[in-house]
Amino acid sequence: MTLQVRFRWKAALVFGAAVTALAVSGLSHGQPGAPSPVGSWPAAPPTAPVIQPPPASASAVERGRYLVTLGDCAACHTAPGGTPFAGGVPLNTPFGVIYSTNITPDTATGIGGWTPDQFRRALQEGRDDQGQNLYPAMPYPYFSHIAAADIEAMRAYLMTVPPAHAEAQANRLPFPLNLRVLIQGWNWLNFRPAPFTATSTRSAEWNRGAYIVNSLAHCGACHTPKTFLGGDQRDKPLRGGELDNWYAPNLNGSPHGGLQGWSTDDIVAYLSRGSNDHAAASGSMQAVVELSTSRMSAADLRAIAVYLKALPATPEPDADRPDPQKMRAGQAIYTDQCSACHGADGSGVAGLFPPLRGNPGVLQPSATTGLHAILAGAQAAATKAKPSQPAMPAFAWKLTDDEVAAVSTYVGNSWGNSAPAVGRDTVARLRARIAAHPIRLTKGPV
Amino acid sequence: MALRAPGFGVGTMAINGLSRRGLLSAGVVVGAIPLAPAGAETFHRPPDIPWRPDAAASPTVPKRGDDFLYFTAVEQAFVQAAVERMIPNDALGPGGVEAGVPIFIDRQLAGAFGAASDWYMQGPWAKGETTQGWQSRMTPAQLYRAAIAAIDDAVQRTSSTTFAMLPAADQIAFLKRLEAGTASLSGGIDPAGFFKVLLQNVMEGYFADPLYGGNRDMAGWKLIGFPGARYDQRAYVTTYGKAYPLPPVGILGRPGWRGTEG
């Protein structure tokens, strides 16, 4: 893999300007090389997140702001570079493109005129102020578990953000999916609203984690496999699912592809920094980390980790030994194209390039995440603790379907990894899907 | 955050809207970013380091195949003969023709290089030094066309045939006179200047990445032991006295990528 160095005049200008600033500040101090207050790089950030949750005594607005972070509302309701919470973000669903709506307190186009009960119904029942069904791209099946007091605090906060006039954009859904009345049938099949109930045999920390994971943070929206209707397969909670041409990995305690090998510290590090010694966030998880988990308190991250670590392992079938010729081809490609960053032994470079040995992303029953990264490239999340964003370039232009299949198979079956072999047809299909869906949750509209 | 640089485009030093004052102002703005209050948490997305999905610094891959895009049949004959004399097939390995050098030059002349598309090609036309780069008013494609015609014209006058039809020894002798600048060419063609360009392009065709049409089967790289488009040699930095184990690889791969070779 080559480090991507794209020379653009804008980037060159910014770089040149930064150099100029350093030079100018250095001159003004008369001490070339001495650290200057103007041009100096920020001090190394602390490795542990220092975010404090608002105390119980905080105002509803302050608590609501933190809860809106836990719920990652911004990922869908704030367009990259757009007005916060003004919506208009296109969401790639298997059924078509759905646009998020304006949740600023603008009375004409936002939720400024909504009553507290209308707001609560939107989150808990999936209905707008007119009583119309919301598409379940809005994760109300999860939000139905949010405590009423938390919902009221979220509303209190959202009423304080600057109102923005932004009309809802028309969804691009084929008939008959454009008929909202169908959602009632979907709800009847898939929607099981219920208040969150604590499990008395578990610790307060576990219960806090269960609450965040299953309500506000709606982790299952991606990590729980879906039925053909897009509903959760409720018997497989957080067992991993395909979304937006990425694969959200299994989060239970399975040894292969699950989190058995991760400590709670590993999980906290991943969620707060965007990467850890095992993996780096990619795909939709990048925005989740940037906008939500990296802004959660240490206690809440730990609660999430404790809850996830308690999820039981599920039996997994052994993958067949892949074809030796495919493995030979894959090894040749890996040596030439991947090993410089990910290491000849798949160990990566700590803090920079994720390892592939034991990386859950490559141990799933579906190779979609790795294939997507190979074809389209990937970029690390930017977090306060880890602001730099090492990137992987796209290889779609130089690797054939056979070559991508071979190298993916090799990575999935080397250094102790075991994953199903990848066929060229799988690569060809994903290549076509990626090309046909320029909208990606990953980076917003291009 | 919008990066507003008030000095942009102002002043006599402005080049493409970029002035020294603008650069300094932008520098101050960029340099000041770390001083922004750290407590100001918003839901703005973090500023991205520029990156797009699907982006890659991919080269322009010329048309594959053995059919010539630029050279006429007569020109092909000249180029094949000249390349065969410059890098003959011998005990060391394939010659320039087997390695696809004529196709490489053809693709280059049919593309951006041939059209001098990113060179300054206007006057003034002062006589430059040989150290000063391209000195012809013609583009490379025009130069090849005119020079080959002039060479065949010169051979016709003395030997009543074309360069390609000369015996090998005579071809070598003529190439030497080209190189020395003693061949007399019509149309004001500088013989030494053309020879220099031809030799340069023949070497490029023999050693450039195979995706450009030459260096077939990485023949040039195998000859000199060049590992190709590899960029991480850390594992071999201290393996003194041992042969380098990896086969050469082109930008678009090697036979091993198909699992057909170790």
Side-chain angles (χ1 to χ4, degrees), chain A residues 359-406:
Chain A
N359 187 322
V362 302
L363 297 175
Q364 304 304 311
S366 156
T368 301
T369 288
L371 296 176
H372 195 138
I374 294 169
L375 289 171
Q379 187 191 35
T383 58
K384 269 191 155 179
K386 198 168 168 294
S388 67
Q389 295 177 274
M392 167 164 165
F395 284 83
W397 66 275
K398 71 186 299 187
L399 296 182
T400 65
D401 292 340
D402 275 320
E403 288 163 355
V404 173

Side-chain angles (χ1 to χ4, degrees), chain A residues 1 4 17 20-21 38 69 75 157 295 325 329 332-333 336-337 340 376 378-379 384 389 391 394 397-398 403 440 443, chain B residues 23-24 27 31 38 41-43 45 48-49 51 53-56 58-59 230-232 234 249 251 254 256-259:
Chain A
M1 194 198 92
Q4 188 179 354
T20 309
V38 175
T69 301
Y157 167 68
R295 299 159 190 242
Q325 179 173 331
I333 298 164
D336 297 348
Q337 300 291 296
Q379 187 191 35
K384 269 191 155 179
Q389 295 177 274
W397 66 275
K398 71 186 299 187
E403 288 163 355
R440 312 216 187 132
K443 301 300 288 182
Chain B
L23 196 60
L24 292 182
E41 276 286 352
T42 71
F43 281 99
R45 292 182 171 229
D48 275 329
I49 291 176
W51 184 87
D54 309 320
S58 52
R230 298 184 181 279
Y231 34 84
D232 179 28
R234 285 170 299 174
V249 61
I251 290 172
R254 59 179 165 104
W257 287 17
R258 267 70 75 190

Side-chain angles (χ1 to χ4, degrees), chain A residues 196-290:
Chain A
F196 175 79
T197 48
T199 304
S200 59
T201 53
R202 297 282 195 170
S203 69
E205 197 172 40
W206 181 94
N207 275 295
R208 175 68 179 166
Y211 176 64
I212 296 172
V213 166
N214 295 316
S215 68
L216 281 157
H218 58 286
C219 305
C222 298
H223 288 277
T224 295
K226 299 287 177 273
T227 65
F228 75 101
L229 286 173
D232 283 356
Q233 294 185 33
R234 282 190 295 273
D235 56 333
K236 296 178 180 168
L238 303 174
R239 288 266 301 270
E242 188 118 13
L243 177 103
D244 198 25
N245 297 329
W246 294 88
Y247 191 87
N250 185 355
L251 298 183
N252 75 22
S254 291
H256 234 80
L259 297 176
Q260 191 192 65
W262 289 33
S263 66
T264 50
D265 283 345
D266 288 337
I267 298 174
V268 170
Y270 180 90
L271 294 175
S272 61
R273 300 168 60 88
S275 66
N276 62 13
D277 293 342
H278 305 285
S282 59
S284 316
M285 194 63 190
Q286 187 184 348
V288 174
V289 168
E290 289 178 350

Side-chain angles (χ1 to χ4, degrees), chain A residues 125-127 133-134 136 140-141 180-193 227 229 231-232 234:
Chain A
E125 298 172 19
R127 289 177 184 281
N133 286 100
L134 301 174
Y140 59 85
R180 286 180 183 266
V181 67
L182 289 188
I183 301 170
Q184 294 189 20
W186 190 93
N187 283 344
W188 183 76
L189 287 169
N190 296 296
F191 183 31
R192 298 288 179 275
T227 65
L229 286 173
D232 283 356
R234 282 190 295 273

Side-chain angles (χ1 to χ4, degrees), chain B residues 82-177:
Chain B
V83 168
E84 180 58 27
R85 295 289 80 79
M86 287 173 156
I87 306 180
N89 183 332
D90 61 17
L92 292 173
V97 174
E98 290 94 330
V101 172
I103 287 290
F104 168 88
I105 297 175
D106 177 78
R107 299 297 186 263
Q108 290 302 311
L109 295 182
F113 169 77
S117 65
D118 57 353
W119 296 359
Y120 180 80
M121 294 296 286
Q122 321 272 309
W125 307 103
K127 175 79 182 140
E129 299 296 325
T130 52
T131 53
Q132 285 181 309
W134 192 258
Q135 290 295 322
S136 173
R137 296 189 194 192
M138 286 185 264
T139 64
Q142 290 165 343
L143 176 68
Y144 266 85
R145 181 140 294 161
I148 293 170
I151 287 167
D152 275 344
D153 186 44
V155 174
Q156 192 72 42
R157 272 185 273 124
T158 56
S159 313
S160 301
T161 183
T162 60
F163 176 89
M165 301 302 287
L166 286 175
D170 293 352
Q171 288 176 343
I172 290 171
F174 193 91
L175 288 172
K176 284 184 173 171
R177 284 194 284 126

Side-chain angles (χ1 to χ4, degrees), chain A residues 324-351:
Chain A
Q325 179 173 331
K326 189 176 239 177
M327 286 292 279
R328 268 201 310 279
Q331 181 175 25
I333 298 164
Y334 184 86
T335 302
D336 297 348
Q337 300 291 296
C338 317
S339 66
C341 293
H342 293 289
D345 59 354
S347 58
V349 176

